[in-house]
Amino acid sequence: MRVGLLGAGRIGAWHARFLGGHPQVDALLIGDADVRRAAALAGPMGASAGDPDSVLAAGLDAVVIATPTATHAELLGRACDAGVPAFCEKPVAPDLGTTLAVRDRTAKAGVPVHIGFQRRFDAGYAAARRAVLDGRLGALHRVHLVTADPAPPPAEYVRSSGGMFRDCHIHDFDILRWVTGREVAAVTAVGANRGDAYFAAAGDVDTSAAVLEMDDGTIATLQGSRYNGAGYDVRMELSGTDATWVVGLDERAPLRSAEPGVDWPSGDPWTDFQERFDPAYANEIGTFLEVAKGNMPSPCTVDEALEAFLVAEAATLSLHEGRRVALAELR
């Protein structure tokens, strides 16, 4: 397969690791607005380099879009217009109106599109989904999600990120829907600024919490932080009438017990999302290549990504207006 990779930044370089050594990829073409950066990434792995236009015009079998969020909609549209199956990092677009327009454009083109939510390809989340759906937890009553970064992103990133709920917690909203098989009906969100002033200056928060009411009455709670000095902490707790399962509770969870004589977990804490989800990213890219070859449907379409984005929009609106927001308001 001839595969294009658009974006040679941090996440683009991460995807290049898996694409460059994948047995189904015969040729990898890396495009970036900064051609020198594309060449620096491409050189050591024997890939070709250019700008995004030249890569899109190179007769691709598939394309991976890992450029800044503001460019996703245009590049997705161009790929679909050219009939090229596309993988795109979340979110589809920075706002709801553009996301809806991309949804309609890609649906009309009929080209496979896979939006990147790598937690769906993590072994723990997949096991939890099976346990919920086959009834091993009994009737699900409560879900709790945590996403906490060990250090905050830079100010320039925060200014254009879309905010804590759109940028960070959209992964929680997607995985909540996927694992439980239910939809979010309403959100009440709060936030605080306990660290650098640039979060407040951007209209964002560095500490977050939310209550999510599911369409079957299940209550989910959410907590997040940009300043979790203990390490990268991502967990999902699901409690039912028969059992409680926790995703992310392993030897490297950045937790310490206050109970005397308890020294578990004893491993080195996870340092960042790339280290924690390395196998999931590899599985995700492998799955996308199967989608591009026509061997399976997309596991995460634009429609699915839209649902997570709607929850993020509702949470952001709740945060700024100080009220409960029903998803029906945004549909």
Side-chain angles (χ1 to χ4, degrees), residues 256-279:
R256 292 295 176 265
S257 174
E259 302 301 324
V262 178
D263 59 3
W264 187 89
S266 58
D268 294 331
W270 297 107
T271 58
D272 58 25
F273 72 93
Q274 290 171 309
E275 183 184 41
R276 164 66 175 83
F277 288 112
D278 183 83

Side-chain angles (χ1 to χ4, degrees), residues 228-249:
N228 196 61
Y232 182 66
D233 189 10
V234 171
R235 285 174 284 122
M236 183 181 199
E237 181 179 304
L238 301 116
S239 294
T241 52
D242 293 341
T244 296
W245 282 45
V246 183
V247 181
L249 189 60

Side-chain angles (χ1 to χ4, degrees), residues 5 16 30 53 64 103 125 154-155 165 171 198 205 221 247 294 318-319:
L5 170 63
I30 299 176
D53 291 338
V64 173
R103 190 236 357 228
Y125 286 108
F165 292 104
H171 283 286
Y198 62 73
V205 295
T221 53
V247 181
S318 175
L319 171 69

